[in-house]
Amino acid sequence: LLRLSGIIIEFTIIILDTINWGYIYPIIRPSLAEAIIYLTAAVSVIYIKRKLVKFAFFSLIMPVALITTGIACHNRFYNKDLCINYIDVGLGDAMLIEAPRGVRLLIDGGGFYGSDFDIGRAVIGPFLLAKKITTLDYVINTHPHQDHSAGLQHVLQYFTVRNFGTGMAGPEPGNIRNIVNVRKIPLLNMQTGDRLRIGGDTDIRVLHSYFSPDRVNDSSLVLKLAYGERTFLLTGDIGEEIERSLIIHSNNLRSNVLKIPHHGSRHSNTLDFIRAVSPDIGILSVGPGIRGIPSDEAIARFKTRNIPVYRTDRDGCIRICTDGRKITVQSENR
C-alpha cells in the first residue's frame, strides 16, 4: 500500500509539472474557477483553427476572463471597506489590514521561540498569495520578540515591501535588519504622536512607542486605526504599567475593536484599561506554548462587561470589516 501510494503521488506530481505552464492570466494562487478558465483558454488556443472552438473562445471564454479580471481589480482598488484579518499564528500576532484603494499593511508576523519552523513561509506567505497580494505598502513590527517578528523575514525577503516600520525598540536584530538594508526598504522609526495617513478616511496614530532593553513587551507599538466612525486598537504585548500610562496620557482610547494585550496575560487587561477602551469586540491572538496564557482572570474581565471575545485558537482566522459605520465579523470556525 505504501509503494502504491508513492507511485500515485509521483504520477500526480508528473501531471502537475506537465500542466504547470505558468500563469499568463494575471492572478496569483488561482481559485478553482479561475484555473478552469485559464486551462480552458489554453486548450482552446491549441485548437483555435476549428470554427466552433474559435467562436467559443472569442464569444465566451475571453469575455468571461476579462470580466472576472475586471471585477477583481475593481474590488481591490475601488472597494470602500476596510478589513483586518487576525491570522491564526499560534501564540503570536499577525494582522493583515486591507484598506480602501488597494492599500495593504501587515502588522507583525508570528513565530515560535526556539523553533526552526518558518511561519512566514508556511502560513503568512501562503495567506498573502491566496489573497493575490505580492506587494505590501507597509510592514510594521510592534516589538522584536520572535512571536511577533520571526515570520516577517520571509515576507521581507520574497514580497515587495514599500515601507518597514518599527517603534523605539527597533527591528529584530540580525536577519530582518540585514534584509531591510540589502533590499533597500525604507525604514520608518515610529514615535509617539506620529500619524500615518494611508488614504481617504483611514489613518493610524501611534499612541505609544518606547524602549527599555529589560522590558521589551512594554516597548510594543500601540496603534489606533481609524476609518470613518470606527476604530481599532492594536496593543502588542503591553502590560499593566503601560495601560495606566495610556489612560493618563491618551485623549481618547475608546475603540470599537480591541486586540487584547499580550495574548490575554493576567499582567495586562486591567479593568480600568478595558473601561477606558470600552470595546464592542475583543480579539485574542493566542495558542499553546505558555502556561497561564490566556489567563482565566483576564477573560473574566471581558465577560463581566459582556464583551464578546473571538480567539484565533478556537475561531481560526478572524476577519473584521467595516464601511466606516457597520462592523461585520467572520471567522473560520464560527
Side-chain angles (χ1 to χ4, degrees):
L1 288 174
L2 289 173
R3 285 186 179 182
L4 178 61
S5 299
I7 292 171
I8 293 172
I9 292 171
E10 288 179 4
F11 181 66
T12 304
I13 291 172
I14 291 171
I15 293 175
L16 292 173
D17 284 339
T18 302
I19 66 175
N20 181 21
W21 303 329
Y23 282 94
I24 301 170
Y25 190 68
I27 53 178
I28 306 296
R29 290 287 171 95
S31 65
L32 178 60
E34 290 168 338
I36 290 173
I37 292 172
Y38 169 75
L39 292 174
T40 302
V43 172
S44 299
V45 170
I46 296 173
Y47 299 98
I48 197 71
K49 292 183 179 180
R50 298 184 182 182
K51 291 184 178 180
L52 184 60
V53 174
K54 184 182 291 187
F55 176 79
F57 181 79
F58 288 104
S59 63
L60 180 63
I61 298 172
M62 282 298 292
V64 169
L66 291 173
I67 289 170
T68 54
T69 302
I71 291 173
C73 291
H74 181 274
N75 288 342
R76 173 169 183 179
F77 295 104
Y78 296 95
N79 180 27
K80 295 182 179 180
D81 288 351
L82 179 139
C83 296
I84 299 185
N85 304 272
Y86 299 85
I87 307 169
D88 180 11
V89 290
L91 185 60
D93 277 2
M95 292 155 282
L96 172 68
I97 300 174
E98 300 171 89
R101 301 181 183 178
V103 178
R104 301 291 183 257
L105 302 89
L106 179 67
I107 300 180
D108 288 339
F112 298 95
Y113 288 103
S115 172
D116 294 331
F117 179 72
D118 189 346
I119 200 162
R121 182 175 183 272
V123 177
I124 306 296
F127 185 86
L128 295 173
L129 292 176
K131 289 183 169 290
K132 309 188 193 314
I133 295 173
T134 57
T135 298
L136 291 160
D137 296 278
Y138 296 90
V139 170
I140 298 173
N141 182 212
T142 60
H143 65 291
H145 271 165
Q146 278 192 304
D147 59 330
H148 290 250
S149 63
L152 296 180
Q153 295 184 35
H154 178 85
V155 174
L156 292 167
Q157 181 71 56
Y158 296 104
F159 288 75
T160 299
V161 177
R162 292 176 175 158
N163 298 280
F164 178 65
T166 65
M168 297 294 289
E172 178 77 14
N175 288 341
I176 285 183
R177 190 182 296 273
N178 291 338
I179 293 168
V180 169
N181 291 336
V182 169
R183 301 202 68 193
K184 298 181 180 179
I185 300 171
L187 179 63
L188 303 177
N189 290 311
M190 306 173 73
Q191 300 183 21
T192 303
D194 285 354
R195 200 163 197 156
L196 187 65
R197 295 191 179 275
I198 54 178
D201 296 330
T202 311
D203 71 350
I204 296 176
R205 289 172 52 210
V206 181
L207 301 186
H208 172 74
S209 180
Y210 162 85
F211 177 62
S212 170
D214 300 323
R215 299 165 57 193
V216 178
N217 282 334
D218 282 342
S219 300
S220 297
L221 281 172
V222 177
L223 307 173
K224 186 173 183 179
L225 169 65
Y227 178 59
E229 300 174 4
R230 300 302 168 209
T231 50
F232 301 77
L233 191 62
L234 311 176
T235 57
D237 282 354
I238 60 169
E240 182 177 348
E241 184 175 335
I242 304 303
E243 290 181 354
R244 286 199 302 268
S245 176
L246 286 169
I247 294 170
I248 294 170
H249 295 104
S250 296
N251 293 329
N252 184 13
L253 287 179
R254 173 72 176 90
S255 301
N256 299 102
V257 180
L258 170 66
K259 201 291 293 183
I260 294 174
H262 202 182
H263 319 293
S265 166
R266 65 185 180 89
H267 301 294
S268 306
N269 307 287
T270 60
L271 275 175
D272 288 340
F273 184 71
I274 295 171
R275 288 193 193 101
V277 178
S278 189
D280 302 313
I281 299 169
I283 304 295
L284 183 58
S285 185
V286 70
I290 299 179
R291 186 177 179 181
I293 292 185
S295 71
D296 294 336
E297 301 124 284
I299 299 300
R301 292 169 198 156
F302 287 90
K303 286 184 178 179
T304 58
R305 297 186 64 81
N306 296 316
I307 299 169
V309 173
Y310 288 79
R311 302 172 48 148
T312 57
D313 61 340
R314 296 178 182 174
D315 302 313
C317 178
I318 301 159
R319 179 178 173 86
I320 298 184
C321 295
T322 180
D323 59 1
R325 294 183 178 180
K326 182 181 177 182
I327 289 180
T328 58
V329 184
Q330 297 176 324
S331 64
E332 289 178 319
N333 303 328
R334 280 198 189 186

mmCIF file of all heavy atoms in Angstrom, residues 24-56:
data_model
loop_
_atom_site.group_PDB
_atom_site.id
_atom_site.type_symbol
_atom_site.label_atom_id
_atom_site.label_comp_id
_atom_site.label_asym_id
_atom_site.label_seq_id
_atom_site.Cartn_x
_atom_site.Cartn_y
_atom_site.Cartn_z
ATOM 1 N N ILE A 24 -0.011 32.949 -17.246
ATOM 2 C CA ILE A 24 -0.034 34.168 -18.051
ATOM 3 C C ILE A 24 -1.224 35.024 -17.597
ATOM 4 O O ILE A 24 -1.146 36.229 -17.518
ATOM 5 C CB ILE A 24 -0.151 33.820 -19.546
ATOM 6 C CG1 ILE A 24 1.036 32.938 -19.965
ATOM 7 C CG2 ILE A 24 -0.201 35.087 -20.395
ATOM 8 C CD1 ILE A 24 0.894 32.357 -21.347
ATOM 9 N N TYR A 25 -2.317 34.344 -17.279
ATOM 10 C CA TYR A 25 -3.501 35.027 -16.758
ATOM 11 C C TYR A 25 -3.092 35.730 -15.465
ATOM 12 O O TYR A 25 -2.505 35.112 -14.581
ATOM 13 C CB TYR A 25 -4.593 33.974 -16.492
ATOM 14 C CG TYR A 25 -5.956 34.516 -16.175
ATOM 15 C CD1 TYR A 25 -6.712 35.178 -17.126
ATOM 16 C CD2 TYR A 25 -6.492 34.359 -14.904
ATOM 17 C CE1 TYR A 25 -7.971 35.650 -16.822
ATOM 18 C CE2 TYR A 25 -7.743 34.834 -14.592
ATOM 19 C CZ TYR A 25 -8.480 35.484 -15.561
ATOM 20 O OH TYR A 25 -9.721 35.956 -15.246
ATOM 21 N N PRO A 26 -3.328 37.043 -15.336
ATOM 22 C CA PRO A 26 -2.711 37.829 -14.255
ATOM 23 C C PRO A 26 -3.333 37.620 -12.882
ATOM 24 O O PRO A 26 -4.005 38.485 -12.346
ATOM 25 C CB PRO A 26 -2.943 39.268 -14.741
ATOM 26 C CG PRO A 26 -4.203 39.184 -15.516
ATOM 27 C CD PRO A 26 -4.180 37.851 -16.197
ATOM 28 N N ILE A 27 -3.113 36.464 -12.329
ATOM 29 C CA ILE A 27 -3.634 36.167 -10.997
ATOM 30 C C ILE A 27 -2.592 35.385 -10.211
ATOM 31 O O ILE A 27 -1.720 34.749 -10.784
ATOM 32 C CB ILE A 27 -4.963 35.374 -11.051
ATOM 33 C CG1 ILE A 27 -4.790 34.125 -11.917
ATOM 34 C CG2 ILE A 27 -6.091 36.222 -11.561
ATOM 35 C CD1 ILE A 27 -6.019 33.258 -11.983
ATOM 36 N N ILE A 28 -2.704 35.449 -8.890
ATOM 37 C CA ILE A 28 -1.823 34.704 -8.009
ATOM 38 C C ILE A 28 -2.657 33.681 -7.266
ATOM 39 O O ILE A 28 -3.748 33.981 -6.790
ATOM 40 C CB ILE A 28 -1.152 35.639 -6.989
ATOM 41 C CG1 ILE A 28 -0.442 36.791 -7.702
ATOM 42 C CG2 ILE A 28 -0.167 34.877 -6.111
ATOM 43 C CD1 ILE A 28 0.701 36.388 -8.574
ATOM 44 N N ARG A 29 -2.175 32.472 -7.143
ATOM 45 C CA ARG A 29 -2.895 31.409 -6.455
ATOM 46 C C ARG A 29 -4.362 31.355 -6.894
ATOM 47 O O ARG A 29 -5.262 31.732 -6.156
ATOM 48 C CB ARG A 29 -2.821 31.610 -4.941
ATOM 49 C CG ARG A 29 -1.432 31.372 -4.371
ATOM 50 C CD ARG A 29 -1.089 29.885 -4.351
ATOM 51 N NE ARG A 29 0.300 29.672 -3.999
ATOM 52 C CZ ARG A 29 0.722 29.419 -2.755
ATOM 53 N NH1 ARG A 29 -0.121 29.354 -1.787
ATOM 54 N NH2 ARG A 29 1.995 29.208 -2.528
ATOM 55 N N PRO A 30 -4.620 30.931 -8.137
ATOM 56 C CA PRO A 30 -5.983 30.992 -8.673
ATOM 57 C C PRO A 30 -6.935 30.075 -7.919
ATOM 58 O O PRO A 30 -6.554 29.021 -7.418
ATOM 59 C CB PRO A 30 -5.811 30.525 -10.117
ATOM 60 C CG PRO A 30 -4.594 29.642 -10.071
ATOM 61 C CD PRO A 30 -3.683 30.293 -9.065
ATOM 62 N N SER A 31 -8.191 30.497 -7.888
ATOM 63 C CA SER A 31 -9.245 29.641 -7.361
ATOM 64 C C SER A 31 -9.529 28.553 -8.388
ATOM 65 O O SER A 31 -9.020 28.586 -9.521
ATOM 66 C CB SER A 31 -10.508 30.457 -7.096
ATOM 67 O OG SER A 31 -11.020 30.964 -8.320
ATOM 68 N N LEU A 32 -10.378 27.590 -8.019
ATOM 69 C CA LEU A 32 -10.718 26.515 -8.953
ATOM 70 C C LEU A 32 -11.362 27.076 -10.213
ATOM 71 O O LEU A 32 -11.017 26.666 -11.330
ATOM 72 C CB LEU A 32 -11.663 25.522 -8.260
ATOM 73 C CG LEU A 32 -12.163 24.352 -9.133
ATOM 74 C CD1 LEU A 32 -11.002 23.514 -9.630
ATOM 75 C CD2 LEU A 32 -13.149 23.490 -8.346
ATOM 76 N N ALA A 33 -12.271 28.029 -10.050
ATOM 77 C CA ALA A 33 -12.949 28.616 -11.213
ATOM 78 C C ALA A 33 -11.949 29.325 -12.118
ATOM 79 O O ALA A 33 -12.010 29.199 -13.352
ATOM 80 C CB ALA A 33 -14.027 29.583 -10.746
ATOM 81 N N GLU A 34 -11.002 30.068 -11.524
ATOM 82 C CA GLU A 34 -10.001 30.783 -12.315
ATOM 83 C C GLU A 34 -9.081 29.811 -13.044
ATOM 84 O O GLU A 34 -8.717 30.037 -14.203
ATOM 85 C CB GLU A 34 -9.191 31.702 -11.401
ATOM 86 C CG GLU A 34 -9.993 32.879 -10.874
ATOM 87 C CD GLU A 34 -9.286 33.610 -9.749
ATOM 88 O OE1 GLU A 34 -8.406 33.002 -9.109
ATOM 89 O OE2 GLU A 34 -9.619 34.777 -9.523
ATOM 90 N N ALA A 35 -8.707 28.722 -12.381
ATOM 91 C CA ALA A 35 -7.847 27.710 -13.015
ATOM 92 C C ALA A 35 -8.561 27.058 -14.198
ATOM 93 O O ALA A 35 -7.951 26.815 -15.245
ATOM 94 C CB ALA A 35 -7.435 26.661 -11.987
ATOM 95 N N ILE A 36 -9.851 26.794 -14.037
ATOM 96 C CA ILE A 36 -10.632 26.181 -15.130
ATOM 97 C C ILE A 36 -10.689 27.124 -16.324
ATOM 98 O O ILE A 36 -10.520 26.707 -17.482
ATOM 99 C CB ILE A 36 -12.042 25.816 -14.636
ATOM 100 C CG1 ILE A 36 -11.968 24.637 -13.656
ATOM 101 C CG2 ILE A 36 -12.953 25.454 -15.813
ATOM 102 C CD1 ILE A 36 -13.282 24.315 -12.974
ATOM 103 N N ILE A 37 -10.927 28.417 -16.061
ATOM 104 C CA ILE A 37 -10.974 29.403 -17.146
ATOM 105 C C ILE A 37 -9.638 29.453 -17.872
ATOM 106 O O ILE A 37 -9.568 29.440 -19.109
ATOM 107 C CB ILE A 37 -11.339 30.800 -16.597
ATOM 108 C CG1 ILE A 37 -12.779 30.817 -16.094
ATOM 109 C CG2 ILE A 37 -11.136 31.872 -17.676
ATOM 110 C CD1 ILE A 37 -13.150 32.092 -15.365
ATOM 111 N N TYR A 38 -8.547 29.482 -17.104
ATOM 112 C CA TYR A 38 -7.210 29.564 -17.700
ATOM 113 C C TYR A 38 -6.904 28.343 -18.553
ATOM 114 O O TYR A 38 -6.452 28.456 -19.700
ATOM 115 C CB TYR A 38 -6.170 29.714 -16.588
ATOM 116 C CG TYR A 38 -4.752 29.538 -17.087
ATOM 117 C CD1 TYR A 38 -4.127 30.532 -17.824
ATOM 118 C CD2 TYR A 38 -4.050 28.364 -16.832
ATOM 119 C CE1 TYR A 38 -2.836 30.382 -18.287
ATOM 120 C CE2 TYR A 38 -2.753 28.198 -17.300
ATOM 121 C CZ TYR A 38 -2.148 29.199 -18.018
ATOM 122 O OH TYR A 38 -0.876 29.039 -18.479
ATOM 123 N N LEU A 39 -7.136 27.152 -18.007
ATOM 124 C CA LEU A 39 -6.825 25.924 -18.739
ATOM 125 C C LEU A 39 -7.720 25.762 -19.961
ATOM 126 O O LEU A 39 -7.280 25.291 -21.014
ATOM 127 C CB LEU A 39 -6.956 24.717 -17.807
ATOM 128 C CG LEU A 39 -5.907 24.642 -16.684
ATOM 129 C CD1 LEU A 39 -6.222 23.503 -15.732
ATOM 130 C CD2 LEU A 39 -4.511 24.466 -17.262
ATOM 131 N N THR A 40 -8.995 26.162 -19.831
ATOM 132 C CA THR A 40 -9.913 26.094 -20.974
ATOM 133 C C THR A 40 -9.423 27.016 -22.089
ATOM 134 O O THR A 40 -9.432 26.647 -23.274
ATOM 135 C CB THR A 40 -11.336 26.493 -20.547
ATOM 136 O OG1 THR A 40 -11.772 25.640 -19.501
ATOM 137 C CG2 THR A 40 -12.302 26.384 -21.724
ATOM 138 N N ALA A 41 -8.972 28.214 -21.707
ATOM 139 C CA ALA A 41 -8.455 29.146 -22.705
ATOM 140 C C ALA A 41 -7.193 28.596 -23.362
ATOM 141 O O ALA A 41 -7.010 28.713 -24.580
ATOM 142 C CB ALA A 41 -8.172 30.498 -22.052
ATOM 143 N N ALA A 42 -6.308 27.989 -22.556
ATOM 144 C CA ALA A 42 -5.062 27.438 -23.094
ATOM 145 C C ALA A 42 -5.328 26.317 -24.094
ATOM 146 O O ALA A 42 -4.717 26.263 -25.168
ATOM 147 C CB ALA A 42 -4.193 26.933 -21.948
ATOM 148 N N VAL A 43 -6.248 25.424 -23.749
ATOM 149 C CA VAL A 43 -6.594 24.321 -24.659
ATOM 150 C C VAL A 43 -7.260 24.868 -25.919
ATOM 151 O O VAL A 43 -7.020 24.382 -27.036
ATOM 152 C CB VAL A 43 -7.514 23.308 -23.937
ATOM 153 C CG1 VAL A 43 -8.037 22.267 -24.928
ATOM 154 C CG2 VAL A 43 -6.768 22.622 -22.799
ATOM 155 N N SER A 44 -8.090 25.901 -25.745
ATOM 156 C CA SER A 44 -8.778 26.491 -26.895
ATOM 157 C C SER A 44 -7.793 27.081 -27.892
ATOM 158 O O SER A 44 -7.992 26.997 -29.107
ATOM 159 C CB SER A 44 -9.755 27.572 -26.432
ATOM 160 O OG SER A 44 -10.735 27.028 -25.584
ATOM 161 N N VAL A 45 -6.711 27.675 -27.400
ATOM 162 C CA VAL A 45 -5.699 28.259 -28.285
ATOM 163 C C VAL A 45 -5.051 27.181 -29.150
ATOM 164 O O VAL A 45 -4.764 27.403 -30.334
ATOM 165 C CB VAL A 45 -4.633 29.006 -27.450
ATOM 166 C CG1 VAL A 45 -3.443 29.407 -28.314
ATOM 167 C CG2 VAL A 45 -5.245 30.236 -26.802
ATOM 168 N N ILE A 46 -4.885 26.001 -28.566
ATOM 169 C CA ILE A 46 -4.274 24.889 -29.322
ATOM 170 C C ILE A 46 -5.153 24.489 -30.508
ATOM 171 O O ILE A 46 -4.660 24.194 -31.598
ATOM 172 C CB ILE A 46 -4.035 23.681 -28.387
ATOM 173 C CG1 ILE A 46 -3.024 24.056 -27.295
ATOM 174 C CG2 ILE A 46 -3.543 22.479 -29.183
ATOM 175 C CD1 ILE A 46 -2.847 22.990 -26.240
ATOM 176 N N TYR A 47 -6.456 24.494 -30.287
ATOM 177 C CA TYR A 47 -7.393 24.070 -31.330
ATOM 178 C C TYR A 47 -8.164 25.263 -31.915
ATOM 179 O O TYR A 47 -9.298 25.135 -32.364
ATOM 180 C CB TYR A 47 -8.386 23.056 -30.755
ATOM 181 C CG TYR A 47 -7.742 21.798 -30.241
ATOM 182 C CD1 TYR A 47 -7.475 21.634 -28.882
ATOM 183 C CD2 TYR A 47 -7.369 20.773 -31.117
ATOM 184 C CE1 TYR A 47 -6.869 20.484 -28.400
ATOM 185 C CE2 TYR A 47 -6.762 19.616 -30.653
ATOM 186 C CZ TYR A 47 -6.513 19.485 -29.286
ATOM 187 O OH TYR A 47 -5.920 18.336 -28.825
ATOM 188 N N ILE A 48 -7.532 26.437 -31.941
ATOM 189 C CA ILE A 48 -8.218 27.657 -32.339
ATOM 190 C C ILE A 48 -8.639 27.656 -33.807
ATOM 191 O O ILE A 48 -9.536 28.415 -34.216
ATOM 192 C CB ILE A 48 -7.312 28.891 -32.046
ATOM 193 C CG1 ILE A 48 -8.138 30.181 -32.040
ATOM 194 C CG2 ILE A 48 -6.179 28.958 -33.065
ATOM 195 C CD1 ILE A 48 -9.041 30.300 -30.875
ATOM 196 N N LYS A 49 -8.013 26.817 -34.621
ATOM 197 C CA LYS A 49 -8.351 26.789 -36.054
ATOM 198 C C LYS A 49 -9.738 26.192 -36.304
ATOM 199 O O LYS A 49 -10.327 26.432 -37.361
ATOM 200 C CB LYS A 49 -7.298 25.996 -36.830
ATOM 201 C CG LYS A 49 -5.932 26.699 -36.875
ATOM 202 C CD LYS A 49 -4.946 25.914 -37.713
ATOM 203 C CE LYS A 49 -3.601 26.634 -37.776
ATOM 204 N NZ LYS A 49 -2.611 25.879 -38.603
ATOM 205 N N ARG A 50 -10.258 25.447 -35.361
ATOM 206 C CA ARG A 50 -11.597 24.891 -35.510
ATOM 207 C C ARG A 50 -12.622 26.000 -35.275
ATOM 208 O O ARG A 50 -12.536 26.754 -34.322
ATOM 209 C CB ARG A 50 -11.808 23.744 -34.528
ATOM 210 C CG ARG A 50 -10.849 22.577 -34.761
ATOM 211 C CD ARG A 50 -11.145 21.424 -33.825
ATOM 212 N NE ARG A 50 -10.195 20.331 -34.020
ATOM 213 C CZ ARG A 50 -10.242 19.169 -33.361
ATOM 214 N NH1 ARG A 50 -11.198 18.969 -32.442
ATOM 215 N NH2 ARG A 50 -9.350 18.224 -33.606
ATOM 216 N N LYS A 51 -13.601 26.078 -36.158
ATOM 217 C CA LYS A 51 -14.562 27.174 -36.123
ATOM 218 C C LYS A 51 -15.334 27.237 -34.811
ATOM 219 O O LYS A 51 -15.516 28.315 -34.235
ATOM 220 C CB LYS A 51 -15.545 27.043 -37.290
ATOM 221 C CG LYS A 51 -14.922 27.297 -38.643
ATOM 222 C CD LYS A 51 -15.962 27.243 -39.740
ATOM 223 C CE LYS A 51 -15.332 27.548 -41.103
ATOM 224 N NZ LYS A 51 -16.352 27.489 -42.187
ATOM 225 N N LEU A 52 -15.787 26.089 -34.332
ATOM 226 C CA LEU A 52 -16.573 26.069 -33.098
ATOM 227 C C LEU A 52 -15.726 26.516 -31.911
ATOM 228 O O LEU A 52 -16.192 27.274 -31.037
ATOM 229 C CB LEU A 52 -17.133 24.659 -32.848
ATOM 230 C CG LEU A 52 -18.065 24.520 -31.630
ATOM 231 C CD1 LEU A 52 -19.285 25.423 -31.789
ATOM 232 C CD2 LEU A 52 -18.507 23.057 -31.458
ATOM 233 N N VAL A 53 -14.472 26.066 -31.874
ATOM 234 C CA VAL A 53 -13.566 26.454 -30.781
ATOM 235 C C VAL A 53 -13.274 27.949 -30.851
ATOM 236 O O VAL A 53 -13.276 28.654 -29.835
ATOM 237 C CB VAL A 53 -12.251 25.651 -30.849
ATOM 238 C CG1 VAL A 53 -11.259 26.156 -29.803
ATOM 239 C CG2 VAL A 53 -12.530 24.164 -30.630
ATOM 240 N N LYS A 54 -13.018 28.459 -32.079
ATOM 241 C CA LYS A 54 -12.756 29.883 -32.248
ATOM 242 C C LYS A 54 -13.948 30.718 -31.787
ATOM 243 O O LYS A 54 -13.784 31.747 -31.103
ATOM 244 C CB LYS A 54 -12.426 30.187 -33.707
ATOM 245 C CG LYS A 54 -12.053 31.657 -33.949
ATOM 246 C CD LYS A 54 -11.787 31.916 -35.427
ATOM 247 C CE LYS A 54 -10.510 31.234 -35.866
ATOM 248 N NZ LYS A 54 -10.148 31.611 -37.266
ATOM 249 N N PHE A 55 -15.136 30.287 -32.168
ATOM 250 C CA PHE A 55 -16.353 31.019 -31.764
ATOM 251 C C PHE A 55 -16.491 31.024 -30.239
ATOM 252 O O PHE A 55 -16.766 32.073 -29.634
ATOM 253 C CB PHE A 55 -17.578 30.362 -32.409
ATOM 254 C CG PHE A 55 -18.875 30.979 -31.967
ATOM 255 C CD1 PHE A 55 -19.318 32.179 -32.507
ATOM 256 C CD2 PHE A 55 -19.662 30.356 -30.992
ATOM 257 C CE1 PHE A 55 -20.505 32.744 -32.084
ATOM 258 C CE2 PHE A 55 -20.844 30.920 -30.568
ATOM 259 C CZ PHE A 55 -21.275 32.123 -31.117
ATOM 260 N N ALA A 56 -16.289 29.845 -29.599
ATOM 261 C CA ALA A 56 -16.413 29.758 -28.144
ATOM 262 C C ALA A 56 -15.343 30.592 -27.448
ATOM 263 O O ALA A 56 -15.593 31.233 -26.417
ATOM 264 C CB ALA A 56 -16.308 28.296 -27.699
#
